[in-house]
Amino acid sequence: MARAPQRTPSAPLAGELLKLNLDTVRAYLLKEEFRQFFDARSPTLANRFLKRWRRRAYRTKLQPLAQFARMLTHHRPLILNWFRTGRCHSSGAVEGLNLKAKPALRRAFGFRVEPQIIFLN
């Protein structure tokens, strides 16, 4: 999983923003903290990090963060598989195939005879 290089805001600006306690600042800080998830060395550490981060996201009472945390909880076993494989396998190939298959299935909707479906390609 690729990620963008981390930006470090200047210390005085970050301190002033923290004093404001805005929702956007809290969301930004949680987003930056989530980057550490990809540095976990084992599935156990990654799972522990996810649980703690999820709790913090729920406590912010920011709907988009809570929604993201729920999605992470739902897909946690699949996400942790990336750590179990040594962080070297990506699902990009499968996603690419899905991207090609879904439009073909949509175009074929309603056809009952195999030759008609083959003719669409």
Side-chain angles (χ1 to χ4, degrees):
M1 293 182 191
R3 61 182 173 176
Q6 186 172 359
R7 286 184 240 151
T8 55
S10 64
L13 179 62
E16 289 175 28
L17 289 175
L18 284 174
K19 288 178 188 174
L20 294 175
N21 197 23
L22 296 172
D23 289 346
T24 53
V25 174
R26 290 185 304 175
Y28 175 78
L29 292 174
L30 270 173
K31 177 192 77 88
E32 289 300 318
E33 182 185 338
F34 188 73
R35 288 173 174 266
Q36 297 172 5
F37 171 71
F38 299 102
D39 297 332
R41 297 285 176 212
S42 71
T44 306
L45 293 175
N47 190 29
R48 192 177 304 154
F49 179 87
L50 275 179
K51 284 181 181 179
R52 278 191 311 233
W53 190 88
R54 185 191 66 189
R55 226 177 295 128
R56 291 189 66 202
Y58 283 143
R59 275 189 277 156
T60 64
K61 296 182 180 164
L62 297 173
Q63 186 60 30
L65 280 176
Q67 205 171 14
F68 181 68
R70 275 193 300 277
M71 187 268 308
L72 288 175
T73 302
H74 181 70
H75 295 288
R76 186 177 61 220
L78 299 173
I79 293 169
L80 294 177
N81 279 342
W82 184 65
F83 291 95
R84 288 186 189 100
T85 61
R87 303 187 308 172
C88 62
H89 296 290
S90 171
S91 62
V94 175
E95 293 297 329
L97 286 173
N98 281 340
L99 187 67
K100 299 290 184 182
K102 284 184 181 182
L105 288 173
R106 264 189 248 117
R107 282 194 314 260
F109 182 75
F111 289 104
R112 305 258 191 267
V113 183
E114 186 178 336
Q116 290 177 332
I117 294 172
I118 294 172
F119 183 71
L120 281 176
N121 294 331

